[in-house]
């Protein structure tokens, strides 16, 4: 089998796979991630690392060597030295005395919209001008309302601010109109970048334009072309306006209309299936960016009435030149990035757009705020061609193309230190000959007209005869437990089919282990949850997924159980008879500290025996716990065990494979003194997991050995629920490395 690590697309076009165009791998260059920079590193010396920090809207200096982004919890603009994109360094923070909503950077200054509103009625805010030399505030100009998006004209003559005066979502169910109305604020700049009308901002009245709440325009985003025309989205009004900045006149305005996305997830269940269609949904566009002086693109995130789950290319007259329909939804499904909890609302929720010229081509970037990815398209003047999908961290918000340095930057805003999710700036370099991501995609199911939805892959097993076939299961994030078949003969690996697990006694299974049975079908391990009434189950299922047998633990052990239970399963042979080993993740009430169990089931006499496994102590300065994720038979009573801590990113310390053996060890019944296995450290998998230059994932959950002796690792993406959407399928090389 070809080496999967770092070479995820050789000789296969994902565009062709998904029917999204035909960009040739031999003719196109690609982006690869080169750095993931946590925002907490910009905190002042001595500050608590757990302090909430956010990167939301991001911009670059003219030379592309300085990045500036909004940190709303810190009421600051953060400046970062990006001269070496592989080693970002903080330059400083400028305190604003209010919430920064957006930033744009000119030749000598940064321009920030600052929200100082007392409440939704008493809306106020200003433009803060920050000198790039020294990072001090040189001017504060009243914007006459609560700012949202800020843009500077390419010639440096104008700054335009979308003054949203946002609504109170708790008032009248958030329905507008809710006064005061928003407007567009224009500041004229002199040759030094200073506002000449700081005391008398020019106001563009946008009332009376939209069909939806015409008395209450709520401008969301603004972009300026080389003709100094500003395109402004009025998201809640489902409307778009074009404004001539020199005169302040609205030269065109039109409804954003509606769009349809067919064969997409729409049900209020945690599934990634093509369960229906979102028909004639109003677009309610958020971000907007000019492609050239005649065309622009919107990300149709939606608000309280809509969100068409895609992006649209328009001309300045308001004609729809292209609408992506279900493409963003299908990308999320095929790459395992679909936010299934949001399916009944706005799906992948495209929010941001950016445009830049790379390699002589104009590229369009569209982010999925909930799916944690950016879709890259090539502009053709007609239907754009899909190029690649870039994985991001959690909650991608601001997008920034820096063509002069062949860089693309994403600001990821979600930050929750307690949950282990931190805000990041991600950097991607243009020029790779093939995408490094994904390592797993799914094919299109011809019966459903959509890719096979998947995610939260929690275990891995190899077909004993076919070296190119693997099996995986998903955990309880999804309503239905599934067994997926993966074809790894090509790169990326492809999910080509699945079967649902049926006929189980409990409605929700938490599948955490899979092993192929030599008698046909599979062994599955379902993790229990005593507080939720879920049993710890060993399941024997046929190759169609139907449960043939459910095996429970002895009651005396069930009484000692905790939530963190079955995590891996492996059929093996002992004395010529098939046996089943099940790894328990962490210690239970009856275990000595630092020890967990490996349970051995004998299908012939239906008995259980147990041994203890000694866990490593946590090594991370952030604490946490260490447990087991997988167990794999190596033959002759020997096993490879995947042991990990529950930390990600820089706090990740233990992601390792150990080897244990039952030779000379007799498993005993529960209640007896359990023998302790001797473990041998075999491999640190952290370096392989870090090769993608992203936030190191906390959950390597699957491990297997292929029929031709390759060691394959799989990570769990938690269903993209407050977690990165990435799934890594990594070829660790010959399994003989464990010897």
């Amino acid at each position: 089998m070809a080496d999967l690590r770092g070479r995820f697309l050789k000789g296969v076009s994902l565009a062709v796979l998904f029917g999204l165009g035909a960009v040739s791998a031999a003719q196109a260059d690609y982006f690869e991630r080169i750095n993931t920079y946590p925002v907490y590193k910009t905190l002042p010396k001595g500050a608590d690392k757990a302090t909430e920090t956010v990167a939301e809207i991001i911009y670059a200096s003219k030379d592309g060597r300085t990045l500036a982004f909004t940190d709303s919890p810190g009421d600051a603009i953060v400046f970062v030295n990006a001269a070496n994109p592989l080693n970002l360094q903080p330059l400083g923070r400028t305190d604003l005395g209010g919430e920064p909503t957006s930033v744009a950077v000119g030749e000598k200054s940064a321009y920030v919209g600052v929200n100082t509103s007392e409440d939704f009625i008493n809306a106020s805010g200003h433009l803060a001008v920050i000198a790039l030399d020294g990072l001090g505030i040189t001017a504060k100009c009243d914007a006459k309302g609560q700012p949202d998006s800020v843009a500077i004209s390419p010639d440096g003559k104008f700054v335009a601010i979308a003054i949203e005066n946002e609504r109170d979502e708790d008032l009248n169910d958030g329905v507008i109109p809710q006064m005061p109305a928003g407007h567009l604020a224009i500041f004229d700049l002199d040759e030094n970048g200073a506002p000449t009308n700081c005391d008398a901002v020019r106001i563009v009245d946008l009332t009376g334009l939209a069909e939806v709440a015409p008395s209450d325009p709520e401008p969301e985003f603004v972009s300026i072309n080389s003709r100094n025309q500003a395109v402004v989205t009025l998201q809640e009004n489902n409307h778009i306006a074009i404004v001539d900045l020199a005169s302040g006149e609205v030269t065109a305005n039109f409804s954003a209309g509606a769009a349809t996305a067919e064969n997409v997830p729409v049900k209020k269940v945690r599934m990634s299936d093509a369960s229906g269609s979102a028909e004639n949904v109003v677009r309610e566009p958020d971000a907007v960016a000019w492609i050239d002086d005649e065309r622009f693109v919107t990300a149709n995130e939606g608000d309280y009435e809509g969100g068409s789950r895609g992006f649209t290319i328009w001309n300045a007259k308001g004609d729809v030149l292209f609408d992506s329909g279900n493409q963003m939804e299908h990308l999320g499904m095929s790459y395992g990035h679909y936010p299934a909890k949001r399916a009944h609302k706005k799906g992948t929720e495209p929010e941001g757009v950016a445009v830049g010229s790379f390699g002589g081509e104009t590229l369009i970037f569209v982010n999925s705020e909930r799916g944690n990815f950016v879709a890259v398209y090539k502009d053709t003047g007609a239907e754009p061609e899909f190029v690649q999908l870039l994985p991001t961290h959690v909650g991608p918000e601001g997008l920034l193309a820096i063509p002069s340095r062949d860089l693309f930057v994403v600001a990821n805003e979600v930050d929750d230190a307690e949950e282990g999710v931190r805000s990041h700036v991600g950097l991607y370099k243009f020029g790779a000959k093939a995408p490094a991501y994904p390592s797993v995609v799914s094919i299109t199911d011809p019966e459903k007209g959509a890719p096979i939805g998947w995610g939260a892959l929690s275990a891995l097993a190899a077909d004993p005869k076919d070296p190119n076939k693997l099996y995986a299961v998903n955990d309880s994030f999804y309503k239905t437990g599934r067994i997926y078949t993966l074809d790894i003969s090509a790169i990326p690996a492809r999910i080509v089919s699945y079967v649902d697990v049926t006929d189980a006694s409990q409605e929700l299974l938490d599948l955490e282990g899979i092993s192929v049975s030599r008698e046909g079908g599979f062994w599955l391990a379902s993790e229990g949850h005593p507080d939720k009434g879920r049993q710890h189950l060993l399941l024997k299922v046929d190759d169609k997924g139907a449960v043939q047998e459910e095996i429970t633990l002895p009651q005396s052990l069930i009484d000692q159980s905790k939530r963190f239970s079955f995590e891996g399963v492996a059929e093996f042979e002992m004395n010529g008879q098939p046996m089943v080993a099940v790894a328990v993740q962490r210690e239970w009430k009856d275990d000595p500290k630092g020890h967990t169990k490996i349970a051995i089931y004998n299908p012939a006499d239906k008995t259980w025996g147990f041994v203890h496994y000694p866990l490593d102590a946590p090594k991370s300065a952030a604490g946490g716990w260490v447990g087991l994720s997988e167990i794999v038979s190596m033959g002759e009573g020997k096993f490879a065990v995947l042991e990990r801590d529950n930390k990600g990113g820089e706090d990740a310390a233990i992601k390792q494979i150990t080897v244990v053996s039952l030779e000379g060890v007799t498993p005993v019944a529960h209640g007896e003194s359990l023998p302790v296995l001797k473990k041998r450290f075999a491999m640190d998998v952290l370096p392989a997991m870090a090769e993608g230059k992203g936030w190191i994932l906390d959950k390597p959950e699957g491990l297997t050995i292929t029929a031709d002796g390759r060691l394959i690792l799989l990570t769990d993406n938690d269903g993209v629920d407050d977690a990165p959407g990435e799934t890594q399928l990594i070829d660790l090389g010959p399994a003989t490395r464990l010897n």
Side-chain angles (χ1 to χ4, degrees):
M1 188 185 80
D3 186 352
L4 293 173
R5 188 170 58 233
R7 301 185 314 159
F8 296 149
L9 187 63
K10 298 291 187 183
V12 61
S13 171
L14 289 175
V16 173
L17 252 177
F18 308 138
L20 300 179
V23 177
S24 169
Q27 297 175 347
D29 284 339
Y30 299 89
F31 289 88
E32 64 179 344
R33 184 170 48 199
I34 59 172
N35 196 0
T36 300
Y37 182 70
V39 178
Y40 59 72
K41 287 190 172 183
T42 68
L43 288 168
K45 186 177 181 179
D48 184 357
K49 177 182 172 181
T51 301
E52 184 181 8
T53 55
V54 164
E56 189 172 1
I57 302 300
I58 192 163
Y59 215 94
S61 58
K62 291 292 185 180
D63 61 7
R65 299 170 71 86
T66 299
L67 300 178
F69 59 82
T70 59
D71 179 3
S72 56
D75 284 351
I77 293 294
V78 180
F79 293 89
V80 174
N81 183 347
N84 179 358
L86 300 177
N87 185 25
L88 301 186
Q89 296 294 323
L91 286 174
R93 287 172 160 262
T94 300
D95 294 329
L96 298 167
E99 175 198 7
T101 60
S102 184
V103 61
V105 181
E107 194 71 42
K108 298 179 180 180
S109 301
Y111 305 89
V112 186
V114 183
N115 177 22
T116 57
S117 302
E118 297 179 13
D119 50 45
F120 292 102
I121 297 175
N122 299 293
S124 65
H126 62 266
L127 171 71
V129 182
I130 303 172
L132 297 181
D133 183 7
L135 306 185
I137 296 175
T138 59
K140 290 184 179 181
C141 308
D142 189 357
K144 307 298 183 183
Q146 172 252 315
D148 199 330
S149 170
V150 176
I152 185 171
S153 62
D155 61 9
K157 292 183 178 181
F158 303 100
V159 165
I161 308 178
I163 303 299
E164 182 177 11
N165 292 340
E166 63 185 357
R167 73 187 193 280
D168 183 351
E169 296 185 17
D170 295 326
L171 177 63
N172 193 29
D173 294 327
V175 176
I176 57 176
Q178 292 184 24
M179 298 296 111
H183 59 266
L184 184 70
I186 302 174
F187 290 96
D188 306 307
L189 305 180
D190 64 20
E191 63 275 8
N192 294 313
T196 61
N197 60 332
C198 189
D199 295 327
V201 60
R202 291 196 286 130
I203 302 296
V204 179
D205 181 10
L206 299 174
T207 61
L209 304 180
E211 294 177 5
V212 178
S215 63
D216 181 23
E218 297 200 4
E220 185 78 20
F221 214 95
V222 59
S223 177
I224 306 172
N225 66 14
S226 67
R227 296 173 179 171
N228 287 333
Q229 294 173 313
V231 56
V232 185
T233 59
L234 284 65
Q235 186 173 26
E236 289 84 351
N237 310 90
N238 195 42
H239 209 76
I240 298 171
I242 309 291
V243 177
D244 177 75
L245 294 179
S247 65
E249 294 182 359
V250 176
T251 57
N253 74 95
F254 38 85
S255 169
T260 294
E262 298 179 337
N263 302 326
V264 299
V266 296
K267 292 183 179 179
K268 193 176 182 180
V269 293
R270 294 197 307 273
M271 291 302 296
S272 180
D273 283 341
S275 55
S277 297
E279 298 182 355
N280 297 317
V281 179
V282 292
R283 292 186 173 95
E284 291 187 342
D286 188 341
V288 60
W290 287 97
I291 300 173
D292 51 37
D293 285 341
E294 301 291 342
R295 300 173 300 141
F296 58 87
V297 57
T298 59
N300 306 321
E301 178 202 22
D303 204 294
Y304 69 104
E305 290 288 345
S308 60
R309 307 188 182 208
F311 64 95
T312 305
I313 296 175
W314 312 74
N315 65 21
K317 299 177 182 178
D319 299 320
V320 173
L321 305 179
F322 170 78
D323 191 275
S324 66
N326 60 18
Q327 289 187 15
M328 293 288 285
E329 296 285 285
H330 284 190
L331 284 171
M333 294 171 70
S334 182
Y335 283 69
H337 278 255
Y338 198 82
K341 282 188 175 180
R342 304 284 298 179
H344 64 293
K345 294 184 178 179
K346 293 180 283 186
T348 53
E349 202 162 320
E351 182 176 22
V353 289
V355 176
S357 179
F358 294 86
E361 303 286 356
T362 298
L363 300 182
I364 300 169
F365 305 85
V366 187
N367 78 346
S368 165
E369 181 186 16
R370 301 289 179 171
N372 301 338
F373 67 83
V374 174
V376 184
Y377 284 80
K378 173 187 171 183
D379 175 43
T380 67
E383 179 176 346
E385 295 176 351
F386 173 72
V387 177
Q388 70 180 123
L389 181 144
L390 299 174
T392 70
H393 201 53
V394 184
E397 180 80 14
L399 307 182
L400 174 64
I402 312 178
S404 64
R405 302 195 65 202
D406 282 334
L407 293 175
F408 175 66
V409 184
V410 180
N412 306 279
E413 67 173 329
V414 175
D415 190 81
D416 188 337
E418 189 173 324
E419 295 297 324
V421 178
R422 304 311 308 265
S423 179
H424 280 79
V425 174
L427 285 84
Y428 306 79
K429 181 76 171 179
F430 181 75
K433 296 304 179 184
Y437 190 83
S439 56
V440 182
V441 296
S442 67
I443 68 169
T444 295
D445 183 338
E447 293 184 1
K448 296 185 177 180
I452 297 170
W454 62 277
L457 300 183
S458 53
L460 198 62
D463 188 285
K465 298 179 181 179
D466 187 344
N468 290 320
K469 184 180 290 187
L470 302 179
Y471 304 99
V473 293
N474 61 252
D475 64 27
S476 62
F477 176 82
Y478 297 103
K479 179 181 179 181
T480 301
R482 284 182 172 168
I483 302 172
Y484 298 92
T485 300
L486 285 74
D487 177 0
I488 59 174
S489 63
I491 300 170
R494 297 183 300 158
I495 294 176
V496 295
S497 64
Y498 69 89
V499 294
D500 289 336
V501 178
T502 59
D503 302 330
S505 63
Q506 58 189 39
E507 182 178 356
L508 184 65
L509 296 173
D510 190 6
L511 301 180
E512 297 285 354
I514 181 172
S515 180
V516 178
S517 172
R518 71 179 189 179
E519 296 179 351
F522 304 92
W523 292 100
L524 305 178
S526 182
E527 185 175 23
H529 197 316
D531 294 340
K532 294 185 177 181
R534 285 207 305 265
Q535 291 181 291
H536 318 291
L537 295 176
L538 174 62
L539 305 171
K540 181 65 171 64
V541 305
D542 64 20
D543 58 4
K544 302 297 184 182
V547 174
Q548 298 173 314
E549 187 178 4
E550 292 188 349
I551 299 102
T552 59
L553 291 168
Q555 187 60 48
S556 61
L557 183 52
I558 294 174
D559 293 340
Q560 300 297 318
S561 68
K562 292 185 178 180
R563 170 188 171 190
F564 297 96
S565 64
F566 288 175
E567 276 287 324
V569 62
E571 183 179 272
F572 67 103
E573 189 174 292
M574 180 178 288
N575 300 322
Q577 297 296 319
M579 307 284 282
V580 183
V582 185
V584 178
Q585 187 173 64
R586 294 170 60 186
E587 60 255 38
W588 286 358
K589 299 173 186 176
D590 60 333
D591 292 319
K593 184 176 176 60
H595 289 71
T596 189
K597 296 181 182 74
I598 293 179
I600 309 298
Y601 179 70
N602 185 339
D605 60 16
K606 302 185 184 302
T607 59
W608 287 97
F610 304 91
V611 296
H612 267 137
Y613 177 99
L615 296 165
D616 275 17
K619 295 179 181 178
S620 172
W625 51 260
V626 176
L628 305 185
S629 279
E630 183 72 282
I631 186 167
V632 183
S633 174
M634 300 174 65
E636 300 178 350
K638 185 187 294 185
F639 301 92
V641 178
L642 186 57
E643 185 175 359
R644 68 171 180 90
D645 58 19
N646 67 328
K647 297 299 176 182
E650 295 180 326
D651 292 330
I654 299 175
K655 316 289 181 190
Q656 64 188 23
I657 301 172
T658 67
V659 174
V660 297
S661 176
L662 289 176
E663 184 178 1
V665 178
T666 302
V668 300
H670 182 249
E672 299 182 32
S673 179
L674 305 189
V676 180
L677 296 175
K678 293 182 179 179
K679 74 176 183 182
R680 173 176 59 83
F681 171 82
M683 184 184 296
D684 182 6
V685 300
L686 265 174
M689 294 177 64
E691 285 189 8
K693 304 298 183 183
W695 178 258
I696 292 177
L697 306 173
D698 68 316
K699 287 187 177 182
E701 293 250 311
L703 187 71
T704 196
I705 299 171
T706 64
D708 58 352
R710 305 293 293 183
L711 188 64
I712 309 295
L713 181 76
L714 176 71
T715 61
D716 180 353
N717 74 355
D718 281 334
V720 206
D721 186 29
D722 290 331
E726 293 181 57
T727 295
Q728 294 178 314
L729 185 71
I730 304 174
D731 186 346
L732 296 172
T736 52
R737 295 180 62 190
L738 301 180
N739 295 336

